[in-house]
Amino acid sequence: MSTVTLSGAQMIIKSLVDQGVEVIFGYPGGAVLPIYDELFKQNQIRHVLVRHEQGAVHAAEGYARSTGKVGVVLVTSGPGATNAVTGLTDALMDSIPVVCLTGQVPTHLIGNDAFQECDTTGITRPCTKHNYLVKEVDKLAKTMHEAFYVARTGRPGPVVIDIPKDVQFAAGPYTGPENIVHKTYKPKTEGDAPAIERAVDLLMSAKKPIIYAGGGVINAGPEASDLLREFVTLTNYPTTLTLMGLGALPANAPQFLGMLGMHGTYEANWAMHDCDVMLALGARFDDRITGRVDAFSPNSKKIHVDIDPSSINKNIRADVPIIGDAKTVLEQILAAWKKRGAKPNGDALAAWWRQIDAWRDVKCLSFETNDKTIKPQQAIRRLFELTRDRDPYITTEVGQHQMWAAQHFDFFAPNRWMTSGGLGTMGYGLPAAIGVQMAHPDALVIDIAGEASILMNIQEISTAVQYRLPVKIFITNNRYMGMVRQWQELLHGSRYSESYSEALPDFVKLAEAYGALGLRAETPADLDETIVRMIDYDGPVIADIAVDPAENCFPMIPSGQAHNEMILAASDDAIDEKGKVLV
Amino acid sequence: MSATPTGAQQPGAAYTFQEAAEDIRRHAFAVVVDNEPGVLARVIGLFSGRGYNIESLTVSTVTEDESVSRITIVTSGTEMVIEQIKAQLARLIPVHDVHDLTIEGDVIEKEVALIKVVAKEHQRRESLRIADIFKATVADTTLESFVFQIQGSPGKVDSFVELMRALGETEVARSGVVAMSRGAGVISAE
Ligand SMILES: Cc1ncc(C[n+]2csc(CCOP(=O)(O)OP(=O)(O)O)c2C)c(N)n1
Ligand SMILES: [Mg+2]
């Protein structure tokens, strides 16, 4: 293998190009100037200048989630790195592949409390899948390629490479991405054959089956979603998706029961509770899904497919654990099912569907409209209906609007829905939308936002304007931190401590100040027109939609309770004393 | 160290239910890792971050080229927690291999300790006599003190330390546990 000698900074650019990177999100500073200088001299990689490093990481996440590629971030040492921490944690919790390059003070100053020094690898150790401090330029190229490999394979996640400034200047040999094999990190993608057979045994004999699929199916690539649809169509088994999994099965599939969990549908949660065989695919039984663990789906045999062995038996015991990639394991299950000529248990399945249809008849997501105030659910439903033929990409902030978006916006394909699930990061949606729009310049990209969340990374409108990214910010403005207010109503005697959005900016003027278009809808009569103007405008828009400030998000499994204890509307004693200590 | 509160909070979940009557058991793990900077911090951070116990932790390189280290960790938890600890350790990128020695068969656990006892007259003579029974050796002596060196199972060291404490002012330094399975099976350091 022929090697060329490059400076560390040149190596970084070259390895990014060799990894197929087209876009990076970043913010300059003293400790990364050599890299910015090399960026200046080339035109293979586009750099998007964000306005805050947290925004850079979320943008990279949006880019990654909407493309399946690795998102790349470049930030300076000290405050640049610490500002990135929330984004890194978000990417870790939601298993999003990100490589984040951080500048560091020169090696001889490390540990000296030098200007803009921080212990980046120390700080980011618990919020990355892995991190590196590269002290010798000879190791830089290999580390870069290894980082991409680690970020993208197995259960994806964020990887930080901390690069001291002297290493960026030093010269050393460049090696390409070929033959990057890690000594110890070798994720397993194929499920064990005997476990697949046992899973098929269980699935064949099921009387009340359910498929519960999550973000692992999205991460396994669009083929995994195709395979899921094939299996669901073949068996006619009812299927529910987690917040992270929305889009893995088209929302109009007759077998789709909607999202499950704390704000999931009545039918999905009851079916989870009453099922006798559960196939969990790339989902991790987290506490928003299970509710009270000791009452979670008490009578079912559970097949748990996950690429991360530590997800198995973490919260819920699996009867048939299968470690592997969702796509590969779905292929294996489908093959075994077909080979054995398996058929679902027709009569039992028909009875199960009758039961599920009775739950569906509750119409748990219905809401009433009037002609005075816009209901937030109505705003989101109309947004869906008026954009459905545009194959839109949706990001969200965090709060009630996020849950309403999950409930009332339908997704028909994977990689269209980007929301902060695990960490619940307010301020995620706008920068994520910027990342999505960079990857899909002609697509309709909408951030469904709350008026409180959007202010957490509002500065990124500037980025959208600079790069002519026509992202749409659709604010369901209830003048409250609605989700906080809802919990205060349920748990704390409606004492709305600090949850009113006081002194809000005029969002129309704010949009204009940034050079974007501002729109406002006050009444249901304005709603459609505002949405149409928003999507027809060729540029970034903030649409400020005044919605009913008192509306709460239901159905809901009150914290600390079981799936069959979910509530459809507010009542005083929904949450007991024990539940109050939970979040 | 950090003990799990009663009522057993599940690591990683927000819920404080269940596991009322589950057995807490002590396990010794052998963790084979790349000897690279930060690897020990990753292991320790994992235990503190997820609320697991560390009763004892020892580490040293075990290959000629010093590229691989073996960490011995003694911890305790319910079956589910122990299984989680193993899976979480295995997930760290520089970890080659994780062995739960306690479930893999009979395990030898040994420790070295130095115990200084400041005592006179009868107590001083008694400390020597007990040291003899425990096969502890004298590593240092003055007219009013001994430093004993003892090796053996953690339980043996515990008993010795306890007896010495009764005889005078003591100072104790313990190495922590190193452990290995009995029999011919070899955990490779590759
Ligand atoms: C960074 C961050 N801080 C605090 C919270 C806690 N939190 C969750 S939802 C929420 C209120 C969000 O208000 P808004 O954006 O207006 O959305 P709404 O619930 O009103 O739709 C808060 C404060 C959070 N999720 N993220
Ligand atoms: Mg709000």
Side-chain angles (χ1 to χ4, degrees):
Chain A
M1 194 167 31
S2 71
T3 54
V4 281
T5 301
L6 296 176
S7 75
Q10 288 169 332
M11 263 183 221
I12 288 168
I13 304 298
K14 175 123 180 71
S15 48
L16 292 177
V17 171
D18 286 352
Q19 285 290 337
V21 174
E22 291 166 359
V23 183
I24 67 176
F25 302 90
Y27 207 97
V32 282
L33 285 181
I35 306 174
Y36 272 87
D37 200 39
E38 290 306 323
L39 269 174
F40 188 82
K41 296 177 192 160
Q42 57 85 50
N43 53 18
Q44 278 165 293
I45 293 174
R46 275 179 302 162
H47 175 272
V48 176
L49 177 69
V50 293
R51 299 307 192 256
H52 185 296
E53 290 86 351
Q54 182 190 353
V57 187
H58 293 325
E61 287 185 272
Y63 183 90
R65 288 179 70 164
S66 65
T67 59
K69 296 192 218 162
V70 178
V72 182
V73 176
L74 171 60
V75 298
T76 193
S77 64
T82 55
N83 271 351
V85 164
T86 301
L88 294 169
T89 312
D90 193 271
L92 183 72
M93 293 290 275
D94 283 347
S95 312
I96 310 301
V98 168
V99 168
C100 176
L101 310 174
T102 57
Q104 181 56 278
V105 302
T107 35
H108 72 277
L109 286 178
I110 290 178
N112 249 319
D113 297 327
F115 178 61
Q116 294 199 324
E117 180 185 359
C118 73
D119 177 6
T120 301
T121 45
I123 291 170
T124 60
R125 200 172 286 128
C127 65
T128 52
K129 180 171 174 185
H130 195 51
N131 62 14
Y132 303 87
L133 169 61
V134 185
K135 285 185 166 173
E136 293 138 54
V137 72
D138 291 7
K139 294 194 177 143
L140 183 56
K142 182 178 163 286
T143 306
M144 287 287 295
H145 296 304
E146 189 180 297
F148 274 84
Y149 172 71
V150 170
R152 159 178 84 222
T153 55
R155 179 174 177 178
V159 177
V160 162
I161 312 177
D162 199 25
I163 311 158
K165 194 168 178 179
D166 54 329
V167 174
Q168 300 170 31
F169 278 123
Y174 178 78
T175 45
E178 312 80 30
N179 313 322
I180 288 292
V181 275
H182 196 278
K183 264 187 298 192
T184 53
Y185 173 69
K186 295 181 184 98
K188 181 169 174 300
T189 55
E190 200 169 308
D192 283 337
I196 300 282
E197 294 300 324
R198 279 169 62 211
V200 171
D201 284 343
L202 277 177
L203 287 164
M204 279 167 64
S205 65
K207 294 197 170 73
K208 297 191 278 182
I210 191 158
I211 298 169
Y212 144 54
V217 177
I218 309 274
N219 273 341
E223 302 94 331
S225 297
D226 292 342
L227 291 163
L228 173 64
R229 186 184 346 184
E230 185 185 340
F231 186 65
V232 170
T233 314
L234 185 70
T235 55
N236 195 33
Y237 283 178
T239 302
T240 178
L241 297 172
T242 68
L243 183 70
M244 296 300 295
L246 294 179
L249 185 71
N252 58 355
Q255 296 84 1
F256 184 49
L257 306 186
M259 181 175 78
L260 80 161
M262 183 172 271
H263 291 289
T265 66
Y266 193 72
E267 51 272 32
N269 285 332
W270 269 90
M272 286 290 282
H273 186 270
D274 279 12
C275 68
D276 68 348
V277 172
M278 178 187 297
L279 172 60
L281 280 168
R284 61 189 176 89
F285 294 93
D286 84 291
D287 53 78
R288 298 291 105 153
I289 292 300
T290 58
R292 198 171 122 197
V293 274
D294 60 356
F296 174 74
S297 195
N299 304 314
S300 61
K301 292 266 185 251
K302 298 170 187 79
I303 304 157
H304 189 181
V305 181
D306 205 296
I307 198 152
D308 177 0
S310 79
S311 285
I312 296 194
N313 291 341
K314 176 155 74 182
N315 303 322
I316 298 291
R317 275 245 165 252
D319 299 282
V320 182
I322 302 178
I323 294 161
D325 176 71
K327 173 182 156 248
T328 314
V329 173
L330 269 165
E331 271 166 0
Q332 291 176 285
I333 290 179
L334 266 161
W337 180 277
K338 288 177 188 163
K339 188 159 164 237
R340 286 165 63 166
K343 293 230 159 26
N345 184 333
D347 290 346
L349 189 61
W352 180 225
W353 271 116
R354 276 195 298 282
Q355 169 65 72
I356 289 172
D357 285 337
W359 290 323
R360 274 180 166 167
D361 285 342
V362 169
K363 303 219 178 309
C364 67
L365 295 180
S366 59
F367 55 90
E368 276 169 26
T369 57
N370 61 56
D371 51 17
K372 283 210 187 60
T373 42
I374 302 169
K375 290 286 180 182
Q377 302 94 319
Q378 175 188 16
I380 285 163
R381 196 64 197 167
R382 286 310 290 158
L383 182 68
F384 162 67
E385 283 159 355
L386 292 168
T387 60
R388 65 178 300 171
D389 56 348
R390 301 273 307 264
D391 190 19
Y393 289 77
I394 303 296
T395 69
T396 76
E397 307 292 334
V398 171
Q400 290 179 321
H401 62 277
Q402 175 191 30
M403 291 299 116
W404 281 316
Q407 292 172 338
H408 297 280
F409 207 103
D410 291 349
F411 295 93
F412 303 100
N415 307 101
R416 298 299 188 280
W417 163 249
M418 274 64 49
T419 194
S420 170
L423 195 64
T425 312
M426 292 169 71
Y428 170 87
L430 173 55
I434 285 171
V436 175
Q437 191 84 72
M438 279 306 294
H440 309 275
D442 301 322
L444 175 61
V445 182
I446 306 170
D447 172 26
I448 297 180
E451 81 295 334
S453 295
I454 193 64
L455 290 178
M456 286 214 177
N457 274 320
I458 191 76
Q459 74 287 346
E460 298 305 330
I461 299 183
S462 215
T463 311
V465 171
Q466 178 179 346
Y467 296 91
R468 300 177 197 282
L469 301 173
V471 295
K472 317 298 181 198
I473 302 164
F474 186 78
I475 303 177
T476 60
N477 186 341
N478 54 6
R479 305 196 302 281
Y480 274 102
M481 297 172 194
M483 192 55 97
V484 173
R485 200 216 57 227
Q486 173 165 350
W487 281 60
Q488 289 172 332
E489 197 172 300
L490 291 170
L491 297 173
H492 299 284
S494 296
R495 288 177 297 281
Y496 298 143
S497 178
E498 305 293 326
S499 56
Y500 183 66
S501 292
E502 195 80 56
L504 280 174
D506 176 333
F507 284 108
V508 173
K509 284 192 187 148
L510 186 68
E512 286 163 2
Y514 276 108
L517 174 69
L519 299 172
R520 178 172 292 129
E522 308 265 9
T523 64
D526 307 337
L527 180 61
D528 280 15
E529 198 204 314
T530 309
I531 293 173
V532 170
R533 282 184 64 198
M534 175 182 89
I535 57 184
D536 284 351
Y537 183 73
D538 183 20
V541 181
I542 299 184
D544 181 17
I545 313 293
V547 299
D548 184 349
E551 194 69 21
N552 280 340
C553 187
F554 290 108
M556 178 174 185
I557 302 175
S559 46
Q561 300 202 11
H563 280 185
N564 60 349
E565 294 172 310
M566 70 183 307
I567 54 176
L568 294 167
S571 74
D572 287 345
D573 51 0
I575 300 180
D576 63 16
E577 283 306 315
K578 219 168 161 189
K580 284 187 190 177
V581 302
L582 307 173
V583 287
Chain B
M1 289 196 191
S2 73
T4 356
T6 47
Q9 176 134 30
Q10 250 192 331
Y15 290 96
T16 34
F17 293 104
Q18 47 123 234
E19 293 187 63
E22 270 194 72
D23 274 4
I24 306 271
R25 282 195 56 189
R26 186 174 171 281
H27 285 245
F29 283 95
V31 189
V32 181
V33 300
D34 269 341
N35 182 22
E36 60 176 39
V39 65
L40 192 57
R42 284 181 212 284
V43 169
I44 293 170
L46 187 148
F47 274 74
S48 65
R50 292 186 183 267
Y52 306 140
N53 282 311
I54 300 182
E55 277 175 28
S56 155
L57 184 146
T58 57
V59 57
S60 180
T61 62
V62 288
T63 50
E64 239 178 322
D65 64 358
E66 304 200 339
S67 68
V68 174
S69 291
R70 175 159 162 155
I71 304 176
T72 308
I73 305 174
V74 180
T75 182
S76 56
T78 62
E79 195 192 333
M80 219 159 155
V81 167
I82 293 293
E83 199 184 320
Q84 231 344 259
I85 291 174
K86 184 170 183 221
Q88 291 292 350
L89 284 167
R91 207 155 83 107
L92 298 176
I93 306 291
V95 167
H96 297 224
D97 230 344
V98 184
H99 292 267
D100 181 345
L101 299 174
T102 305
I103 62 167
E104 287 178 13
D106 268 356
V107 49
I108 312 163
E109 288 183 28
K110 296 289 181 200
E111 212 183 339
V112 176
L114 297 173
I115 299 107
K116 184 179 287 180
V117 190
V118 183
K120 289 204 174 112
E121 297 168 7
H122 169 69
Q123 270 86 350
R124 181 172 165 83
R125 284 193 299 279
E126 191 59 23
S127 71
L128 259 189
R129 209 176 347 253
I130 294 172
D132 199 36
I133 296 169
F134 277 79
K135 296 201 168 61
T137 55
V138 176
D140 176 65
T141 179
T142 67
L143 288 175
E144 67 241 64
S145 70
F146 287 119
V147 175
F148 294 112
Q149 175 189 328
I150 181 170
Q151 52 226 348
S153 71
K156 175 181 167 188
V157 176
D158 283 347
S159 321
F160 184 70
V161 169
E162 201 180 313
L163 288 165
M164 290 300 131
R165 283 209 170 107
L167 296 175
E169 194 188 341
T170 51
E171 178 187 335
V172 181
R174 296 175 71 150
S175 64
V177 174
V178 289
M180 193 173 277
S181 298
R182 291 185 189 278
V186 169
I187 294 177
S188 110
E190 292 315 316

Coordinates of all heavy atoms in Angstrom, one line a residue, chain A residues 398-401 404 449-453 475-483 485 499 501 504 547, ligand 2:
Chain A
V398 N -39.7 19.2 21.7 CA -40.1 18.3 22.8 C -41.3 18.9 23.6 O -41.2 20.0 24.0 CB -39.0 17.9 23.7 CG1 -39.4 17.1 24.9 CG2 -38.0 17.0 22.9
G399 N -42.3 18.1 23.8 CA -43.4 18.5 24.6 C -44.7 17.9 24.0 O -44.7 16.9 23.3
Q400 N -45.8 18.6 24.4 CA -47.1 18.1 23.9 C -47.2 18.0 22.4 O -47.6 17.0 21.8 CB -48.2 19.0 24.4 CG -48.5 18.9 25.9 CD -49.6 19.9 26.3 OE1 -49.7 21.0 25.8 NE2 -50.4 19.4 27.2
H401 N -46.7 19.1 21.7 CA -46.7 19.1 20.2 C -46.0 17.9 19.6 O -46.4 17.4 18.6 CB -46.1 20.4 19.7 CG -44.6 20.5 20.1 ND1 -44.2 20.9 21.3 CD2 -43.5 20.1 19.4 CE1 -42.9 20.9 21.3 NE2 -42.4 20.4 20.2
W404 N -48.4 15.0 20.0 CA -49.5 15.1 19.1 C -49.0 14.9 17.6 O -49.8 14.3 16.9 CB -50.1 16.5 19.2 CG -51.0 16.7 20.3 CD1 -52.0 15.8 20.7 CD2 -51.1 17.8 21.3 NE1 -52.6 16.3 21.9 CE2 -52.1 17.5 22.2 CE3 -50.4 19.0 21.4 CZ2 -52.5 18.3 23.3 CZ3 -50.8 19.8 22.4 CH2 -51.8 19.5 23.4
A449 N -43.1 22.5 16.2 CA -42.4 23.1 17.4 C -43.4 23.6 18.5 O -44.6 23.8 18.2 CB -41.5 24.2 17.0
G450 N -42.9 23.7 19.7 CA -43.6 24.4 20.7 C -43.0 25.8 20.8 O -41.8 26.0 20.5
E451 N -43.7 26.8 21.4 CA -43.2 28.1 21.4 C -42.0 28.2 22.5 O -41.2 29.0 22.3 CB -44.3 29.1 21.8 CG -44.7 29.3 23.2 CD -45.3 28.0 23.8 OE1 -45.9 27.2 23.0 OE2 -45.3 27.8 25.0
A452 N -42.0 27.3 23.5 CA -40.9 27.3 24.4 C -39.7 26.6 23.8 O -38.6 27.2 23.9 CB -41.4 26.6 25.7
S453 N -39.9 25.4 23.3 CA -38.7 24.7 22.7 C -38.0 25.5 21.6 O -36.8 25.5 21.6 CB -39.2 23.4 22.1 OG -39.7 22.5 23.1
I475 N -45.1 26.3 14.6 CA -45.2 26.4 16.1 C -46.7 26.2 16.5 O -47.6 27.0 16.2 CB -44.7 27.7 16.6 CG1 -43.3 28.0 16.2 CG2 -44.8 27.8 18.2 CD1 -42.7 29.4 16.6
T476 N -47.0 25.2 17.3 CA -48.3 25.1 18.0 C -48.1 25.9 19.3 O -47.6 25.4 20.3 CB -48.7 23.7 18.2 OG1 -47.8 23.1 19.1 CG2 -48.8 22.9 17.0
N477 N -48.5 27.1 19.2 CA -48.3 28.1 20.3 C -49.4 28.1 21.3 O -50.4 28.6 21.1 CB -48.1 29.5 19.7 CG -47.6 30.5 20.8 OD1 -47.8 30.2 22.0 ND2 -47.1 31.6 20.3
N478 N -49.2 27.4 22.4 CA -50.2 27.3 23.5 C -49.8 28.2 24.7 O -50.4 28.2 25.7 CB -50.4 25.9 24.0 CG -49.1 25.2 24.4 OD1 -48.0 25.9 24.4 ND2 -49.1 23.9 24.7
R479 N -48.7 29.0 24.5 CA -48.3 30.0 25.5 C -47.9 29.3 26.8 O -47.8 29.9 27.9 CB -49.3 31.1 25.7 CG -49.6 31.8 24.4 CD -50.3 33.1 24.6 NE -51.5 33.1 25.3 CZ -52.7 32.7 24.8 NH1 -52.7 32.3 23.5 NH2 -53.8 32.6 25.6
Y480 N -47.7 28.0 26.8 CA -47.3 27.3 28.0 C -46.3 26.3 27.6 O -46.2 25.8 26.5 CB -48.5 26.5 28.6 CG -49.3 27.2 29.5 CD1 -50.6 27.7 29.1 CD2 -48.9 27.5 30.9 CE1 -51.4 28.4 30.0 CE2 -49.8 28.2 31.7 CZ -51.0 28.6 31.3 OH -51.8 29.3 32.2
M481 N -45.4 25.9 28.6 CA -44.7 24.7 28.4 C -45.7 23.6 28.7 O -45.9 23.1 29.8 CB -43.6 24.6 29.5 CG -42.5 25.7 29.3 SD -41.4 25.6 30.7 CE -40.6 27.2 30.5
G482 N -46.4 23.3 27.6 CA -47.7 22.5 27.8 C -47.5 21.2 28.5 O -48.3 20.8 29.4
M483 N -46.4 20.5 28.2 CA -46.2 19.2 28.8 C -46.0 19.3 30.3 O -46.4 18.5 31.1 CB -45.1 18.4 28.1 CG -45.0 17.0 28.5 SD -46.6 16.1 28.2 CE -46.3 15.4 26.6
R485 N -47.1 21.9 32.1 CA -48.3 22.3 32.6 C -49.3 21.1 32.8 O -50.0 21.0 33.9 CB -49.0 23.3 31.7 CG -50.1 24.2 32.4 CD -51.2 24.5 31.5 NE -51.8 23.3 31.0 CZ -52.1 23.1 29.8 NH1 -51.9 24.0 28.8 NH2 -52.6 21.9 29.4
S499 N -44.3 27.6 34.4 CA -44.6 26.9 33.1 C -45.3 27.7 32.1 O -45.7 27.3 31.0 CB -45.3 25.6 33.3 OG -46.5 25.8 34.0
S501 N -45.3 30.6 29.4 CA -44.3 31.2 28.5 C -44.5 32.7 28.4 O -45.2 33.3 27.6 CB -44.5 30.6 27.0 OG -44.1 29.3 27.0
L504 N -43.2 36.3 25.5 CA -42.8 35.6 24.2 C -42.5 36.7 23.1 O -43.1 37.8 23.1 CB -44.0 34.8 23.7 CG -44.2 33.4 24.3 CD1 -45.5 32.8 23.8 CD2 -43.0 32.5 24.0
V547 N -52.9 28.0 19.4 CA -53.7 26.9 19.7 C -54.3 27.0 21.1 O -53.8 27.8 22.0 CB -53.0 25.6 19.5 CG1 -52.5 25.4 18.1 CG2 -51.8 25.4 20.5
Ligands
MG2 MG -46.1 25.4 24.4

